[in-house]
Amino acid sequence: MKWIMRVLGLVVLVAVLVVVGVLMLPADKIAQIAGDQLRKVTGRDVTISGDVSMTFWPVLGVTAGGLEVGNASWAKDGAMLSTTNAAIGVDASALLRGEIRITNIEAQSPTIRLESRKDGRASWQFTDATGAAQIETETSPARPAKAVTIQKLKITDATLIYDAEGADLVSYQGVDLTLDWPDANGAADISAALRPAQDKVNFDAWIENFGSFLTGAVQPLRARITAKGGELSLQGRGSLEGAVAGAFALKAGNTGAFLAQLGAGGVELPKGLGQSLNVTADLTLTPDRRLALRDLVADLGGNTLRGGVDVALNGVPQINAQLNAGVLDLRSLTEGGEDGGSNAGAGWPKDRIDASGLAAFNGTIALNASRIDLGALSLGATRTVLRNDRSRMVFELREVNAYDGKLAGEFVMNNRNGLSVGGKLQALGVQMQPLLTDLADLSRFRGQGSASLSFLGVGQTVDAIMRSLSGEGSLKVGRGAIEGIDLDALLGSFDVEGGTTVFDSLNASYAIKGGVLRNSDLLMLLPNFNAAGAGEINLGAQTLDYTVTPKALRVNGDRGLAVPVRIFGPWADPKIRPDLKAAVDLNFQKEKEEAKAKVEAKVQQKIEKELGVKVQEGQSIEEAVKDGIEDKLKKELLSIFD
């Protein structure tokens, strides 16, 4: 028993001596040892400077006025980490064994510079510096470092600078970062908070076998980014080189606010095209920043897309996608305000159209949809290709079912130097009433036919675009009808109130300038009549002034009978009036000339009899009277001198 007590006493005495010995080590000596240990496990120059002092609680270690960890030899700018206030904690039990093991590092307001190259090198990839030949260089590859554990890392109010070759420089201030890594062969929890904009963005991650992850191995991981307006998460596998694969999810109630908090301010997406997002996909990201999304389901705030997407993320995203949609609502691209549309009689919307979303990406998107609503046009089953290049978006209509017929052509939106819209469209076998109702709110015209249209409009509102439209087109319709006027009744009784005119065919061409459509060659054939038309439709003001002249072919001898009808006023409620003066001029011109000749002959006889003036051949009555009066005046004046 005494022997046991003596041994225990000896152990306690040795322990006391060791602890006292450690506590009596100079602070700068511990700092030097800690610095050497950091240099060995990172392969970088480590400098501890300024006032150095010992800490005993809550951890054993030192505080230093300055700490600097060098960058990779190929890096361009400055140290990887530099701070004016740092604390380094060491494992006391390791000290008892004559070892230095870092348990925690704390830094306040440091500057952290990270760099990466396209060839895979990254400044945060450390090397084992126990031998000079093992330090990485431009020409010799780095040997993996020995396992290192920094059980806790806490950085507050840091400036983070990230320079990835081929991408824009990223810089954040006010970054808080913590690392909890208790086991060298175990998992690590990482959390960070930064403010790219006004509000805080939080990042949380869990990485299995963090030591292997630091040496470039692929490890299971979970990550989540939360910010005002949305949340992004990933669960899968990844490596420090930037290779990631897993289940991706993005939920954003306000995409613009979410992107602004991530530092991408100024992006305002149209309604139904990303103002809110709910996206899930299988994600693959390569170290050269190429992103692939498969089994994609994206709810864009009303429109849902499914398919696959490939994106190059260096600079403005370059997108190549194959997508399928059900009903696709694109009215927000062409209409202003909440209600949109023309609001018949109230004019076109004057709310400013925000087309800034056209600058969000470049690329090509192939799209199949069961229906597409463009506001001005409504398309059925559609196969299109969308191309966007520097804020110029082109919808190429390859196979479009619309208005019981087929459409082809393209629709263009260009926001490079102010907003303009245009296109070239061809319609084959379409129903004209719903088409003209959608295009110009004209619902009186029925029939099936073909049409062509090319147009261009400029402006930041629907009203400005409609008033600036220019272009041309043609129309060819088979059997159809015009509601609101009965031309048969018109030619019989001049009663044009109500009724319907049925025609066999109609052809016309037109030109558009300054928002006004003008036509002069309309020809409509009816069973016993034909009708010509000319006039204008003011697309900007939503008014029309058009004259249709029906002609009965089997009356008035061989000349027929024509009665012009003027249609004028707002196109939502136009007035229809026969032009009787023009009807007389058209149908009784010969009789008018004969009556005029008879009247002139009687007047001439009366003048010759009363005034003694004879009308010479080729001379008008007015000229003859004038000459006769002048002759009489001359004679009277000359008689004064007789």
Side-chain angles (χ1 to χ4, degrees):
M1 188 67 177
K2 290 182 180 180
W3 180 81
I4 295 175
M5 293 300 296
R6 287 175 182 174
V7 171
L8 288 176
L10 182 60
V11 169
V12 171
L13 178 59
V14 171
V16 170
L17 291 175
V18 170
V19 171
V20 171
V22 169
L23 295 180
M24 293 183 66
L25 281 175
D28 56 352
K29 182 61 177 179
I30 293 182
Q32 179 183 348
I33 295 173
D36 288 342
Q37 186 73 1
L38 280 174
R39 183 186 65 80
K40 288 178 181 180
V41 299
T42 64
R44 307 289 171 77
D45 291 333
V46 176
T47 303
I48 298 177
S49 60
D51 294 333
V52 179
S53 60
M54 288 285 296
T55 61
F56 301 100
W57 184 263
V59 294
L60 178 65
V62 295
T63 62
L67 171 65
E68 184 175 287
V69 178
N71 222 325
S73 58
W74 48 263
K76 295 187 299 184
D77 299 312
M80 188 179 75
L81 183 145
S82 60
T83 181
T84 57
N85 192 3
I88 301 175
V90 294
D91 187 341
S93 62
L95 280 176
L96 294 176
R97 299 191 301 270
E99 300 176 1
I100 296 293
R101 184 179 181 189
I102 300 172
T103 59
N104 72 291
I105 297 178
E106 295 186 15
Q108 294 181 0
S109 304
T111 297
I112 303 172
R113 293 181 175 88
L114 304 178
E115 296 187 35
S116 64
R117 296 286 179 89
K118 291 182 178 179
D119 60 12
R121 287 176 296 169
S123 63
W124 56 84
Q125 295 170 345
F126 300 127
T127 60
D128 182 359
T130 57
Q134 298 166 1
I135 299 177
E136 63 179 322
T137 66
E138 289 280 355
T139 57
S140 63
R143 198 177 82 179
K146 293 180 178 179
V148 55
T149 298
I150 302 175
Q151 294 180 356
K152 289 186 180 296
L153 173 67
K154 184 177 181 181
I155 295 175
T156 57
D157 192 29
T159 297
L160 177 61
I161 301 170
Y162 178 43
D163 184 1
E165 186 177 9
D168 296 333
L169 183 72
V170 176
S171 179
Y172 297 118
Q173 294 181 335
V175 179
D176 297 334
L177 172 66
T178 62
L179 166 69
D180 190 1
W181 182 23
D183 184 353
N185 297 315
D189 289 304
I190 302 170
S191 63
L194 61 156
R195 290 180 173 83
Q198 181 177 357
D199 295 307
K200 182 185 295 186
V201 175
N202 294 304
F203 171 80
D204 298 287
W206 172 89
I207 302 174
E208 188 175 300
N209 200 334
F210 190 58
S212 296
F213 180 81
L214 289 177
T215 62
V218 176
Q219 291 295 319
L221 56 80
R222 297 190 300 268
R224 183 179 64 175
I225 296 175
T226 57
K228 181 180 180 180
E231 175 181 309
L232 182 153
S233 64
L234 174 72
Q235 181 167 349
R237 299 173 63 84
S239 73
L240 199 59
E241 283 75 12
V244 180
F248 167 84
L250 169 61
K251 293 183 179 180
N254 187 330
T255 307
F258 183 62
L259 292 176
Q261 296 311 310
L262 297 180
V267 177
E268 296 186 17
L269 298 173
K271 182 180 179 181
L273 291 175
Q275 279 190 1
S276 63
L277 289 172
N278 189 352
V279 182
T280 60
D282 290 334
L283 176 149
T284 301
L285 177 65
T286 62
D288 60 350
R289 295 165 61 88
R290 294 186 178 274
L291 175 67
L293 300 176
R294 297 294 181 264
D295 296 327
L296 170 71
V297 179
D299 183 344
L300 308 180
N303 293 310
T304 300
L305 303 177
R306 292 176 170 84
V309 180
D310 294 311
V311 186
L313 292 172
N314 293 308
V316 177
Q318 185 74 30
I319 298 177
N320 183 24
Q322 296 282 338
L323 300 173
N324 295 297
V327 177
L328 193 56
D329 186 350
L330 301 180
R331 289 176 297 174
S332 60
L333 293 177
T334 58
E335 297 180 355
E338 293 295 326
D339 298 328
S342 62
N343 297 325
W348 301 105
K350 295 181 173 61
D351 300 315
R352 183 179 179 84
I353 299 173
D354 183 4
S356 60
L358 295 177
F361 74 96
N362 295 321
T364 301
I365 300 174
L367 174 68
N368 296 325
S370 62
R371 185 167 68 86
I372 298 179
D373 188 350
L374 289 169
L377 292 172
S378 182
L379 311 179
T382 299
R383 186 168 64 90
T384 71
V385 174
L386 182 152
R387 294 185 176 87
N388 195 35
D389 179 26
R390 296 174 292 115
S391 296
R392 183 179 185 271
M393 182 179 290
V394 179
F395 286 95
E396 181 184 345
L397 306 178
R398 291 189 172 179
E399 183 180 334
V400 181
N401 297 277
Y403 306 100
D404 296 330
K406 300 287 186 180
L407 294 180
E410 64 180 24
F411 178 78
V412 182
M413 293 184 66
N414 190 340
N415 197 40
R416 290 177 180 174
N417 296 296
L419 180 61
S420 64
V421 298
K424 295 180 180 179
L425 299 174
Q426 290 184 331
L428 179 63
V430 300
Q431 292 295 335
M432 291 297 165
Q433 185 181 45
L435 177 60
L436 292 176
T437 298
D438 286 351
L439 284 175
D441 204 20
L442 298 174
S443 60
R444 296 174 180 265
F445 189 89
R446 291 189 287 111
Q448 187 176 40
S450 301
S452 66
L453 168 65
S454 63
F455 66 96
L456 176 66
V458 179
Q460 294 297 144
T461 68
V462 175
D463 182 76
I465 290 172
M466 296 303 295
R467 293 179 184 275
S468 71
L469 282 177
S470 61
E472 60 184 8
S474 63
L475 179 66
K476 184 177 182 179
V477 184
R479 186 173 178 81
I482 301 176
E483 298 176 354
I485 182 171
D486 187 343
L487 296 181
D488 290 318
L490 170 68
L491 294 176
S493 65
F494 297 130
D495 179 11
V496 295
E497 294 296 330
T500 299
T501 296
V502 178
F503 59 86
D504 293 327
S505 66
L506 183 150
N507 294 281
S509 63
Y510 56 86
I512 307 172
K513 184 176 181 180
V516 179
L517 182 152
R518 293 181 174 86
N519 158 260
S520 60
D521 64 354
L522 181 141
L523 179 61
M524 182 167 52
L525 301 181
L526 297 86
N528 299 312
F529 307 90
N530 63 31
E536 65 182 39
I537 300 175
N538 193 320
L539 302 173
Q542 298 184 354
T543 62
L544 74 162
D545 190 350
Y546 199 85
T547 299
V548 179
T549 305
K551 184 176 182 180
L553 302 177
R554 296 184 177 88
V555 298
N556 198 19
D558 294 332
R559 293 178 295 171
L561 177 64
V563 179
V565 178
R566 185 183 176 207
I567 306 170
F568 61 99
W571 66 30
D573 186 23
K575 296 179 180 179
I576 303 174
R577 298 286 186 271
D579 190 337
L580 298 181
K581 180 179 182 301
V584 172
D585 291 340
L586 285 172
N587 299 290
F588 304 105
Q589 187 65 32
K590 181 178 179 180
E591 288 78 1
K592 284 178 61 179
E593 294 295 333
E594 290 176 351
K596 180 180 178 181
K598 290 179 181 179
V599 171
E600 288 181 346
K602 290 183 179 181
V603 171
Q604 181 176 335
Q605 292 175 2
K606 189 72 172 176
I607 289 174
E608 289 178 350
K609 180 179 179 181
E610 298 293 336
L611 301 178
V613 176
K614 186 172 183 62
V615 179
Q616 304 296 324
E617 184 177 354
Q619 188 180 36
S620 67
I621 296 175
E622 291 81 359
E623 291 174 344
V625 172
K626 179 181 177 181
D627 292 343
I629 293 174
E630 287 180 350
D631 289 341
K632 287 187 176 183
L633 288 174
K634 288 178 181 178
K635 291 178 181 180
E636 292 295 333
L637 290 172
L638 291 174
S639 67
I640 296 175
F641 301 98
D642 292 341

